């Protein structure tokens, strides 16, 4: 059973309104992506900055209106729901952001921050307070933190508040957008463990967006690799790490630096940067940086199944 | 713990750096001693606020004016104490001998000027400080050659572009180029790849190690990323709350970490191929430098904590390694008993 199914979703942004009525140029941030998240599982979405992974996360939660495609939450097509109909559903789907300092209102204490989302769902004041307190304990913040403002807390504490605020509504599906990238190394493991514990406790499903493959390997059951608005490869965790098929996945994996100086591996160093999304290359989008490029790559490769469950968009396979 | 075969190029001895807040002055770096020889890379590793960037900035006299100062110890560069230098002498050192690159590549370039103007200006300023003159044309030529050396594509066109028109990797490459243009003896690299994507990080690290081999530059590399450390370090100095806790060859740090903080840091990193149920996590948080507990600064988070740790542990030398922990201090057991 899938908690989330996304079908051929697109999100285009338009760069200005064209001069003299000329049509504006479209930035195809997400360009036809399909993915599913199974109930109780974690899907990872990996890619470099600017590849559209955050836009995809936000479009799934309907923080952006999709340009095309469908979003199904628990089998229910929510793509065209007006805000009023989305509101009760927002309880079921929450988001955890990268920068806790930016995500928290600087004028709300930890307790108030966690209590606020409950206001939309009709509990009384006492009940809200009780639930918020309880959730703060669950995420490992003691009573002395309740009255603290974001600037008085450490990075790890702030991210715990953000997690508590998302979890207090007992959601079914949570999008985590780089939840540990802004945290210090020793705190990262604490927050990852917390997310895993919360997942088990509430039977949650996650879409975990990250550029850090080692974190994705630890956290995710299924991995999607995104490049310039498209999924280029997807597979189960073990499969994709053991047998990456797309040259981009291969390069990403080889760029992971392991904390072990003895383990010198052959590193694939990609040339150049992510192409300008306003002018994506025709054909395969990875063509310009691909070490194995052949003439056929001027034609766009489809996402094809290589083995059951393992799909990649590359002519090499 | 320097390699004794080479004289050190940079040496810090009992360095103490303080910051002032209101009337209070507190130490952000204490009792730091390290050395670095030509062609070697020393990594300062630690979390935000541990004093690693402050240490790097202090070498170039870049502490915030009025609030930060070197309150004790010395920083010797080729035998001269940098702390005692006048502003003019320090400028000459910065112009000719020591370079620095920062994490924030966007803030390190002026958004209002083209890349070409900034590069040529930096070349001309440098030559002026060093008492040499260089024409605009010569400076332009040098800048262009530098972009080419850094692997920047279509350099003539890049010279006319503004920083916002370039990607982060491109900007960082230009800054590294600017920093290395004068063939410095020492490069201080303060988290140069932290803001970059992994594939671009791989490009930049590759470029840096290539340039290091070509020029024999010593690098003081500041980072929090143990993966980056494993990639480039010859020596590693692990910092915690303003102090050195462990200092060794890179191999010694990764294969035989002794300090409980180093050990915890390495164990808490998720690694492909290892999917245990839970990650090892160092519980708690870094202490506030303004209100440090007495004794060992890691005590409250340490799984091996014991009563003796209420006293500041001494630095113990064990073969190539230095470690600040009572578990390895000779006689530590006896003192406790």
């Amino acid at each position: 059973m899938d908690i989330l199914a996304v079908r051929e979703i697109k999100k285009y942004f338009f760069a200005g309104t064209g001069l003299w009525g000329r049509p504006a140029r479209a930035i195809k941030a997400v360009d036809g992506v399909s993915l599913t998240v199974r109930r109780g599982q974690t899907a990872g979405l990996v890619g470099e900055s600017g590849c559209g992974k955050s836009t995809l996360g936000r479009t799934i939660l309907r923080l952006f209106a999709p340009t095309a495609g469908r979003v199904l939450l628990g089998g229910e097509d929510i793509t065209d729901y007006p805000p009023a109909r989305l509101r009760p559903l927002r309880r079921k789907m929450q988001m955890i952001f990268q920068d806790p300092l930016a995500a928290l209102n600087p004028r709300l204490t930890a307790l108030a921050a966690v209590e606020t989302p409950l206001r939309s769902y009709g509990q009384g004041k006492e009940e809200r307070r009780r639930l918020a307190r309880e959730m703060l304990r669950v995420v490992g913040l003691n009573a002395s933190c309740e009255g603290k403002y974001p600037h008085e807390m450490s990075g790890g504490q702030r991210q715990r508040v953000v997690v508590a605020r998302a979890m207090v509504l007992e959601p079914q599906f949570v999008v985590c957008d780089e939840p540990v990238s802004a945290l210090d190394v020793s705190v990262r493991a604490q927050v990852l463990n917390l997310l895993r514990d919360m997942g088990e406790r509430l039977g949650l499903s996650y879409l975990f967006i990250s550029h850090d493959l080692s974190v994705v390997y630890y956290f995710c059951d299924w991995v999607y690799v995104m490049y310039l608005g498209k999924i280029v490869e997807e597979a189960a965790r073990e499969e994709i790490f053991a047998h990456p098929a797309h040259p981009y996945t291969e390069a990403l994996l080889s760029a992971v630096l392991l904390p072990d100086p003895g383990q010198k591996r052959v590193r694939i160093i990609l040339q150049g940067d992510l192409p300008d999304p306003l002018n994506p290359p025709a054909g395969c989008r990875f063509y310009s940086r691909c070490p194995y490029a052949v003439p056929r790559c001027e034609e766009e490769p489809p996402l094809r199944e290589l083995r059951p469950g393992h799909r990649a968009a590359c002519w090499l396979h | 713990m320097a390699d004794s075969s080479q004289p050190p190029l940079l040496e810090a001895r009992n360095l103490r750096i303080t910051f002032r807040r209101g009337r209070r002055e507190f130490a952000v770096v204490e009792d730091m001693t390290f050395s670095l020889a030509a062609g070697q890379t020393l990594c300062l590793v630690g979390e935000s606020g541990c004093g690693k960037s402050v240490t790097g900035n202090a070498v170039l006299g870049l502490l915030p004016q009025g609030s930060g100062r070197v309150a004790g110890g010395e920083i010797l560069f080729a035998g001269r104490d940098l702390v005692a230098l006048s502003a003019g002498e320090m400028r000459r050192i910065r112009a000719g001998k020591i370079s620095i690159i920062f994490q924030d590549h966007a803030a390190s370039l002026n958004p209002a000027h083209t890349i070409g103007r900034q590069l040529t200006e930096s070349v001309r300023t440098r030559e002026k400080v060093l008492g040499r003159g260089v024409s605009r044309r010569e400076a332009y030529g040098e800048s262009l050659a530098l972009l080419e050396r850094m692997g920047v594509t279509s350099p003539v066109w890049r010279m006319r572009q503004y920083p916002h028109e370039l990607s982060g990797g491109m900007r960082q490459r230009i800054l590294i180029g600017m920093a290395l243009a004068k063939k410095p003896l020492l490069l201080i690299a303060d988290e140069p790849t932290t803001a970059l994507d992994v594939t671009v990080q791989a490009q930049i690290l590759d470029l840096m190690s290539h340039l290091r081999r070509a020029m024999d530059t010593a690098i003081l590399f500041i980072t929090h990323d143990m993966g980056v450390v494993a990639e480039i370090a010859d020596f590693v100095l692990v910092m915690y709350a303003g102090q050195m806790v462990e200092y060794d060859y890179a191999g010694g740090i990764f294969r035989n970490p002794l300090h409980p903080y180093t050990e915890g840091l390495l164990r808490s990193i998720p690694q492909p191929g290892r999917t245990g149920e839970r990650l090892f996590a160092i519980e708690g948080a870094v202490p506030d430098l303004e209100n440090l507990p007495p004794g060992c600064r890691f005590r409250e988070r340490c799984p091996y904590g014991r009563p003796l740790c209420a006293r500041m542990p001494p630095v113990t030398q064990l073969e190539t390694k230095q470690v600040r922990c009572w578990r390895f201090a000779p006689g530590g057991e006896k003192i406790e008993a």
Side-chain angles (χ1 to χ4, degrees):
Chain A
M1 177 60 193
D2 301 333
I3 183 80
L4 177 84
V6 175
R7 305 254 178 274
E8 281 300 312
I9 203 159
K10 291 182 180 171
K11 177 65 196 172
Y12 294 176
F13 294 100
F14 295 93
T17 52
L19 198 57
W20 294 301
R22 267 193 291 172
R25 289 196 296 170
I27 298 170
K28 299 175 176 179
V30 177
D31 199 11
V33 165
S34 299
L35 59 80
T36 51
V37 181
R38 296 205 184 95
R39 209 175 274 279
Q41 288 208 339
T42 300
L45 184 61
V46 188
E48 293 178 90
S49 43
C51 76
K53 57 192 194 300
S54 292
T55 304
L56 177 57
R58 284 165 201 228
T59 310
I60 287 171
L61 291 187
R62 285 290 317 275
L63 297 177
F64 291 144
T67 309
R70 317 300 307 168
V71 179
L72 285 81
L73 186 74
E76 191 178 347
D77 188 338
I78 62 165
T79 323
D80 300 318
Y81 278 15
R85 260 188 99 180
L86 273 177
R87 192 158 217 193
L89 287 173
R90 293 232 175 267
R91 247 202 118 131
K92 296 189 193 167
M93 47 182 196
Q94 287 291 311
M95 184 147 186
I96 292 168
F97 298 92
Q98 173 175 2
D99 181 0
L101 198 55
L104 292 170
N105 182 337
R107 296 172 57 164
L108 291 185
T109 61
L111 187 65
V114 179
E115 204 189 311
T116 303
L118 291 165
R119 288 190 183 190
S120 306
Y121 300 99
Q123 279 103 339
K125 197 175 173 191
E126 293 301 307
E127 176 71 358
R128 289 202 308 258
R129 189 133 290 185
R130 190 185 64 77
L131 287 170
R133 280 219 167 92
E134 221 170 74
M135 190 48 70
L136 283 174
R137 293 301 168 280
V138 171
V139 300
L141 293 173
N142 55 29
S144 66
C145 280
E146 282 176 10
K148 283 191 179 170
Y149 290 92
H151 73 272
E152 297 173 304
M153 290 184 269
S154 70
Q157 287 175 328
R158 281 181 211 134
Q159 196 61 310
R160 284 173 196 270
V161 174
V162 173
V163 172
R165 185 178 64 179
M167 301 299 178
V168 75
L169 293 171
E170 301 191 354
Q172 297 172 358
F173 171 66
V174 177
V175 173
C176 304
D177 191 356
E178 303 266 13
V180 296
S181 308
L183 301 178
D184 263 319
V185 219
S186 78
V187 179
R188 233 173 245 190
Q190 293 176 9
V191 172
L192 286 173
N193 282 338
L194 172 66
L195 288 174
R196 181 169 258 193
D197 293 346
M198 294 305 291
E200 280 164 15
R201 194 186 174 107
L202 301 173
L204 273 177
S205 319
Y206 288 109
L207 179 67
F208 193 92
I209 301 172
S210 179
H211 69 277
D212 187 338
L213 280 156
S214 48
V215 172
V216 167
Y217 187 90
Y218 167 74
F219 205 79
C220 302
D221 304 296
W222 199 268
V223 181
Y224 291 90
V225 181
M226 196 166 176
Y227 189 77
L228 218 61
K230 293 213 173 204
I231 300 293
V232 296
E233 185 164 2
E234 65 157 298
R237 179 212 7 230
E238 306 294 342
E239 170 75 10
I240 206 162
F241 280 87
H243 310 288
H246 198 283
Y248 180 63
T249 313
E250 204 187 358
L252 270 184
L253 281 174
S254 88
V256 174
L257 302 176
L258 298 175
D260 177 2
Q263 203 168 347
K264 293 280 181 220
R265 296 159 304 160
V266 182
R267 182 150 296 135
I268 302 162
I269 295 181
L270 292 177
Q271 299 304 310
D273 300 303
L274 206 63
D276 181 1
L278 263 173
N279 296 304
C284 174
R285 297 180 172 211
F286 190 59
Y287 184 32
S288 57
R289 301 171 77 191
C290 183
Y292 314 114
V294 293
R296 193 172 182 194
C297 303
E298 285 174 20
E299 200 184 317
E300 185 166 344
L303 196 59
R304 283 182 305 178
E305 189 141 42
L306 309 176
R307 279 178 283 279
H310 189 168
R311 305 199 298 160
C314 181
W315 290 120
L316 289 176
H317 300 280
Chain B
M1 203 239 24
D3 187 347
S4 51
S5 60
Q6 284 189 67
L9 177 70
L10 179 73
E11 218 182 334
R13 287 188 192 154
N14 305 105
L15 184 62
R16 178 180 155 86
I17 301 169
T18 59
F19 274 30
R20 184 189 296 282
R21 180 171 293 168
R23 280 194 195 154
R24 281 185 43 151
E25 197 171 40
F26 56 98
V28 291
V29 169
E30 254 179 336
D31 195 17
M32 277 277 283
T33 298
F34 61 83
S35 64
L36 175 61
Q40 291 181 341
T41 300
L42 167 67
C43 278
L44 295 185
V45 193
E47 298 178 64
S48 39
C50 74
K52 57 190 193 301
S53 292
V54 171
T55 305
N57 289 346
V59 172
L60 276 178
L62 296 176
L63 296 175
Q65 276 196 345
S67 67
R69 69 187 182 100
V70 174
E74 47 195 0
I75 304 171
L76 300 172
F77 177 72
R80 283 170 85 190
D81 188 2
L82 294 179
V83 180
L85 291 188
S86 71
E89 288 170 315
M90 186 51 105
R91 280 187 69 191
R92 275 194 290 281
I93 293 268
R94 282 190 213 131
K97 305 239 163 64
I98 308 179
S99 286
I100 187 161
I101 40 179
F102 298 100
Q103 171 180 355
D104 192 347
H105 41 77
S108 301
L109 290 165
N110 186 333
H113 297 316
T114 61
I115 297 299
R117 176 164 170 186
Q118 296 185 58
L119 282 176
T120 41
E121 191 181 279
S122 81
V123 170
R124 284 170 61 99
T125 309
R126 179 192 82 208
E127 294 300 317
K128 206 169 137 196
V129 170
L130 296 176
R132 300 192 290 250
V134 56
S135 73
R136 245 172 248 283
R137 183 180 295 260
E138 285 168 321
Y140 182 87
E142 183 179 333
S143 307
L144 203 60
L146 184 150
L147 288 186
E148 274 165 16
R149 233 183 7 254
M150 293 301 119
V152 172
T153 49
S154 32
V156 178
W157 179 51
R158 299 290 180 203
M159 292 285 273
R160 288 200 296 268
Q161 284 189 307
Y162 288 89
H164 75 270
E165 296 177 279
L166 305 174
S167 67
M170 195 69 83
R171 283 196 294 254
Q172 195 61 290
R173 231 171 288 172
I174 287 169
L175 288 167
I176 291 174
M178 282 168 82
L180 294 179
K182 60 194 179 200
K183 299 196 171 62
L185 298 171
L186 171 66
L187 173 68
I188 299 169
D190 190 352
E191 307 247 12
T193 60
T194 304
L196 302 175
D197 276 313
V198 280
T199 58
V200 181
Q201 167 170 287
Q203 291 171 2
I204 297 288
L205 291 179
D206 187 53
L207 175 72
M208 284 182 73
S209 62
H210 180 75
L211 293 169
R212 176 176 68 134
R213 274 196 302 275
M215 301 192 205
D216 208 28
T217 305
I219 303 180
L220 184 65
F221 199 106
I222 297 162
T223 182
H224 68 272
D225 186 332
M226 279 296 193
V228 172
V229 175
E231 187 70 16
I232 56 152
D234 298 310
F235 298 95
V236 183
L237 190 155
V238 184
M239 290 184 78
Y240 187 78
Q243 286 179 325
M244 179 275 283
V245 294
E246 189 162 353
Y247 183 17
D248 198 353
Y249 286 96
I253 291 285
F254 287 98
R255 299 223 178 78
N256 185 26
L258 291 188
H259 196 280
Y261 177 63
T262 318
E263 190 192 335
L265 212 52
L266 287 171
R267 280 180 64 196
S268 67
I269 302 168
Q271 285 189 44
R274 253 182 20 194
T275 38
E277 269 310 290
R278 280 176 74 85
L279 276 176
F280 178 83
I282 305 173
E283 293 307 326
V286 180
D288 179 4
L289 286 173
E290 283 187 70
N291 290 301
L292 283 171
C296 173
R297 294 178 181 177
F298 190 62
R299 176 166 49 128
E300 284 168 10
R301 305 175 77 184
C302 184
Y304 310 105
R306 48 196 202 191
L308 186 56
C309 303
R311 282 200 255 168
M312 178 60 77
V315 175
T316 311
Q317 179 90 42
L318 296 162
E319 295 178 20
T320 62
K321 189 188 288 284
Q322 286 179 16
V323 59
R324 189 191 295 275
C325 178
W326 278 116
R327 289 199 301 154
F328 308 101
E333 303 294 336
K334 266 182 253 155
I335 300 171
E336 192 163 32

